[in-house]
Amino acid sequence: MWDELNRLRDEDKDRRIMDLFERDEGRADGYSVETGDLRFDYSKTLIDEAVRAALIDLCDQIDLGGRRDAMFAGAAINETEGRAVLHTALRNLDGGPVLVDGQDVMPGVLDMLARMRAFAEDVRQGVFAGAGGAITDVVNIGIGGSDLGPAMATLALAPYHDGPACHFVSNVDGAHIADVLGSLDPTRTLVIVASKTFTTIETMTNARTARAWMSDGGGDPGQQFAAVSTALDKTNAFGIPPERVFGFEDWVGGRYSVWGPIGLPVMLAIGPQAFDAFLRGGQAMDLHFRSAEWIENMPVLLALTGLWHHQICGYPTRAVLPYDQRLSRLPAYFQQLEMESNGKSVAMNGSALTVPSGPVVWGEPGTNGQHAFYQLIHQGTGIVPCEFMVAAEGHEPDLAHHHRLLVANCLAQSEALMRGRTLDEARALMAAGGMTGDELERQARHRVFAGNRPSTTLVYPQLTPFVLGQIIALYEHRVFVEGVILGINSFDQWGVELGKELATSLAPIVDGDQSADGKDGSTAALVDFVLKHRS
Ligand code: F6P
């Protein structure tokens, strides 16, 4: 299945992206696709017609359409956990019924959404209050998918905030909760304990700490705690009354859950109407993914570009570079989405994967990254495919000149990566600066840029709730397509279990209640050091 692509990669090792533009005047449009408010440009890559045809052929060979339709239809495509995968139902605002085991899940989804809206409005309008008055602050306690999605989206949509301030505590490190709670009024804070399983040790430890903080400070945990979970028996046992428990089903994966009750902090911050627009952005991307031909299908093209770069060309990482300060948590969010979904070495049928699994995903917002790690991206020996994203305009009309500079920087980076600078150009630069002879030659070499480095760019008019919804759903479907082509289950995460089990067995040892006998020498010595050095 990969032979033709490997052959195309090896066929002409000297191909230049710039040459592809020279050969095809319509390349920019021919290798860009638009849907809703997004334009995705993958023309600054070495993908040409033959490569694209071979990539698209993969989709047909593995019946991508059939797998996609099975997901949307509620089939149990998460085979290792025997579950459907239906985060798309959470944004199916006016689509038809969605059946799981013959039962339409949409009435339940819409009922829960209505409950979230009612609660959010009550909190926002001060109808729901704490012991000391209207709620001023919301603290979401969760980790992984129960944190990254709402934390990322709340920050991304800051210009739409007109509700209480939202804070996020995820790390079991006491520093995190101490720093967040330190400045808050326990009598006017709402705590949301967000955990799909309601067993995650970090979240439950933080939840108990927050409960003690609230009662010690005169707040009322019986009133000021809410929960988001699939485990209603456990939320009940924790003491959160059913009217403030927002449940969801096991067919919503943690890292795909921001669209439902896990998104409650976002709704509290921006209001139900703006949250609806976010859902509609996701829904618009679903409709596009379900109906567009592969060659015009944005998530498919994004996925195929990633597969070309990682599985075929062998570039080990992928940088996500949003030129948007408010998307500063997006790289971390995509990191979980991609690496927890596709970081697997066993195929769905139990056999070992014969191609590399998903890449390392990392990134920072521009322009900050330019002054930190872009040096390696431009001149390092390895190639890092870059995924740039930028809005045509910002939310600060008085600072429009800032935004123009931001856009110019974003476009300059992808141009520089593609174009590079030849030795002759570098020599001319040095000569123009008055340098001559051996010194010119030596200095010029340091100023050469190989160029021909691939990047994609996603542009949109402005970072609105609708646009954010489109972007998140775009990347979700991209991860799905990659997983289908690799033949893996993108919806389980067994790889996190072993560490959790060992942490549980180490806790009493680190507490000093059990000996480290039986642990390896390194672990035992590290425990010994910790025990000796704490008061
Ligand atoms: O340990 C990984 C994980 O299960 C993630 O998949 C999940 O998002 C996170 O932990 C939090 O899980 P929960 O929502 O059940 O607390």
Side-chain angles (χ1 to χ4, degrees):
M1 170 164 132
W2 304 93
D3 293 351
E4 175 62 359
L5 284 159
N6 289 333
R7 191 187 67 73
L8 288 167
R9 175 200 59 208
D10 295 339
E11 195 177 53
D12 178 7
K13 294 250 183 208
D14 298 326
R15 270 180 323 156
R16 306 278 304 172
I17 304 171
M18 296 279 284
D19 294 343
L20 298 179
F21 278 96
E22 258 167 46
R23 265 191 264 150
D24 174 5
E25 275 188 9
R27 181 169 173 84
D29 283 337
Y31 291 78
S32 293
V33 61
E34 294 190 15
T35 182
D37 284 345
L38 308 185
R39 178 182 173 97
F40 170 62
D41 179 336
Y42 60 105
S43 63
K44 291 195 188 87
T45 67
L46 276 171
I47 295 175
D48 60 9
E49 226 164 288
V51 171
R52 183 167 65 185
L55 286 167
I56 286 178
D57 199 36
L58 290 180
C59 303
D60 296 323
Q61 283 184 46
I62 44 91
D63 185 24
L64 176 62
R67 297 294 293 175
R68 175 199 58 195
D69 295 346
M71 173 172 75
F72 279 96
I77 63 162
N78 175 355
E79 291 177 19
T80 57
E81 295 180 314
R83 292 174 184 168
V85 173
L86 277 179
H87 47 279
T88 51
L90 301 175
R91 56 202 187 217
N92 179 36
L93 290 186
D94 35 28
V98 178
L99 303 184
V100 176
D101 298 330
Q103 285 268 322
D104 184 9
V105 301
M106 285 316 298
V109 167
L110 297 176
D111 272 5
M112 183 50 68
L113 188 56
R115 278 193 57 213
M116 285 169 65
R117 286 179 183 139
F119 180 66
E121 283 302 12
D122 281 355
V123 173
R124 286 160 55 84
Q125 285 162 20
V127 175
F128 176 92
I135 297 294
T136 53
D137 295 89
V138 174
V139 176
N140 187 81
I141 297 181
I143 197 164
S146 301
D147 165 71
L148 284 164
M152 174 277 296
T154 302
L155 177 60
L157 299 177
Y160 299 87
H161 286 197
D162 53 5
C166 289
H167 314 266
F168 294 86
V169 174
S170 51
N171 204 322
V172 75
D173 183 346
H176 199 179
I177 195 158
D179 286 352
V180 170
L181 298 184
S183 59
L184 304 185
D185 177 351
T187 69
R188 301 187 65 183
T189 296
L190 169 70
V191 172
I192 301 174
V193 185
S195 174
K196 182 174 170 181
T197 55
F198 230 70
T199 56
T200 305
I201 189 85
E202 293 93 331
T203 300
M204 300 322 297
T205 304
N206 279 322
R208 284 188 287 272
T209 299
R211 190 167 56 184
W213 164 82
M214 191 176 279
S215 44
D216 291 352
D220 179 2
Q223 164 76 2
Q224 293 167 234
F225 263 63
V228 178
S229 184
T230 58
L232 306 189
D233 51 331
K234 297 192 175 71
T235 56
N236 201 27
F238 190 83
I240 301 177
E243 66 269 20
R244 280 196 309 287
V245 176
F246 300 88
F248 61 107
E249 307 292 331
D250 68 2
W251 36 257
V252 178
R255 53 195 174 274
Y256 299 87
S257 60
V258 66
W259 311 98
I262 290 286
L264 185 59
V266 189
M267 193 191 268
L268 284 159
I270 66 174
Q273 238 184 322
F275 192 79
D276 262 27
F278 170 67
L279 296 183
R280 288 199 183 276
Q283 185 184 29
M285 187 53 70
D286 293 343
L287 293 174
H288 167 77
F289 179 47
R290 295 181 78 171
S291 59
E293 297 290 332
W294 299 147
I295 198 161
E296 283 159 11
N297 198 308
M298 199 179 282
V300 171
L301 293 168
L302 182 60
L304 294 178
T305 305
L307 286 161
W308 168 250
H309 287 147
H310 184 59
Q311 278 78 12
I312 308 295
C313 297
Y315 309 143
T317 80
R318 167 192 301 160
V320 176
L321 305 167
Y323 276 65
D324 190 321
Q325 186 58 28
R326 296 193 180 107
L327 288 180
S328 58
R329 295 299 285 150
L330 194 68
Y333 178 79
F334 285 163
Q335 204 168 52
Q336 183 193 24
L337 190 62
E338 176 85 39
M339 293 172 73
E340 197 165 63
S341 298
N342 289 344
K344 318 269 162 79
S345 45
V346 175
M348 188 78 96
N349 63 9
S351 62
L353 224 60
T354 53
V355 283
S357 63
V360 171
V361 174
W362 61 284
E364 276 287 319
T367 59
N368 295 11
Q370 289 175 205
H371 301 275
F373 53 79
Y374 277 42
Q375 165 63 41
L376 180 147
I377 290 181
H378 284 289
Q379 286 190 317
T381 49
I383 291 184
V384 181
C386 295
E387 298 187 350
F388 295 101
M389 48 184 80
V390 71
E393 66 171 352
H395 285 279
E396 292 70 30
D398 297 348
L399 301 175
H401 59 296
H402 282 246
H403 199 82
R404 287 195 291 271
L405 262 179
L406 187 73
V407 173
N409 271 277
C410 179
L411 301 185
Q413 292 302 322
S414 63
E415 188 185 353
L417 285 167
M418 172 173 71
R419 193 176 285 278
R421 182 190 282 148
T422 64
L423 183 55
D424 280 346
E425 287 168 341
R427 283 185 183 124
L429 207 69
M430 294 293 93
M435 209 171 271
T436 55
D438 287 353
E439 188 55 7
L440 176 147
E441 200 56 30
R442 189 172 73 86
Q443 291 289 350
R445 285 176 195 281
H446 290 278
R447 288 155 174 82
V448 170
F449 292 67
N452 212 25
R453 300 197 164 196
S455 69
T456 62
T457 306
L458 187 70
V459 275
Y460 39 91
Q462 195 177 38
L463 188 62
T464 60
F466 182 83
V467 163
L468 184 69
Q470 276 202 294
I471 295 175
I472 303 308
L474 166 66
Y475 271 74
E476 286 178 351
H477 293 321
R478 170 268 186 110
V479 165
F480 170 77
V481 172
E482 287 173 348
V484 170
I485 293 178
L486 294 173
I488 59 182
N489 180 4
S490 300
F491 300 102
D492 62 11
Q493 57 282 320
W494 298 110
V496 299
E497 292 305 319
L498 181 58
K500 283 188 195 172
E501 282 165 29
L502 291 178
T504 307
S505 79
L506 269 161
I509 300 175
V510 174
D511 276 346
D513 295 340
Q514 250 178 45
S515 100
D517 286 355
K519 290 288 173 195
D520 61 88
S522 162
T523 306
L526 291 168
V527 167
D528 190 45
F529 182 92
V530 169
L531 292 179
K532 275 191 195 131
H533 287 83
R534 73 171 176 220
S535 46

